[in-house]
Amino acid sequence: MSVLSFGYYIDGKPYKVLDERRMRASAGIMMLLGTIATINGFVLHQYTIIPYIMGFFVLNFLIGLFINPQYSPTVLLAWLFVRRQSKIPIGAVQKKFAWSIGLLLSTSIFILSLYLQTDESYFHNVCMLCMLCLLMLYLETAFAICVGCKVYDLAIRAKLLPRTKERPNCM
């Protein structure tokens, strides 16, 4: 298994896979952190924690996308919770697309939250992006519905993305 790879090959699958349990647990950890940031920012109006948590998310997604998701902090922590459970292989291509959406969202929230420290006019933009992010994390964690994977599949069907031989069905 390569260090610089998004996913890995297993016997019987012609495409790269990831462990669904680890990815869902990772989403749950991010959902918990995102909820803490949301409560602090939008209920208590304590905006200082938002850039720190979003900066962590950006770092987490960068490590996962450009090095290997197994080395991203939330996936490493998730391993502690699911290490004794059997692995469920899922397609890595869709998860990479979904993590790219996560990187885009968390980077946007991070940048806007820096301005939120001095100008509350960005409040509604940050709030809407946070709610979208939390909704996506909740659907992944609670119901194994990966919105990014669904968007990827729709983009393939609409021919907005090229069809690849590594396109397995997403769960």
Side-chain angles (χ1 to χ4, degrees), residues 87-105:
K87 292 183 178 185
I88 301 173
I90 55 165
V93 175
Q94 296 93 331
K95 284 294 180 186
K96 187 171 189 175
F97 185 82
W99 272 44
S100 299
I101 293 172
L103 177 62
L104 180 68
L105 275 172

Side-chain angles (χ1 to χ4, degrees), residues 20-110:
E20 168 72 6
R21 293 187 196 273
R22 277 177 86 174
M23 300 311 284
R24 283 182 70 188
S26 172
I29 293 165
M30 286 188 278
M31 189 178 93
L32 174 65
L33 292 172
T35 302
I36 290 169
T38 301
I39 289 171
N40 273 279
F42 307 122
V43 175
L44 304 174
H45 297 282
Q46 304 285 328
Y47 304 120
T48 54
I49 195 169
I50 297 172
Y52 291 107
I53 291 178
M54 288 303 116
F56 173 75
F57 280 18
V58 170
L59 179 67
N60 184 65
F61 285 124
L62 286 172
I63 291 169
L65 286 168
F66 296 108
I67 297 175
N68 191 321
Q70 291 186 344
Y71 302 121
S72 68
T74 58
V75 176
L76 285 171
L77 184 58
W79 175 81
L80 291 173
F81 297 109
V82 300
R83 69 182 181 274
R84 293 194 175 119
Q85 297 177 10
S86 61
K87 292 183 178 185
I88 301 173
I90 55 165
V93 175
Q94 296 93 331
K95 284 294 180 186
K96 187 171 189 175
F97 185 82
W99 272 44
S100 299
I101 293 172
L103 177 62
L104 180 68
L105 275 172
S106 59
T107 302
S108 301
I109 296 168
F110 174 72

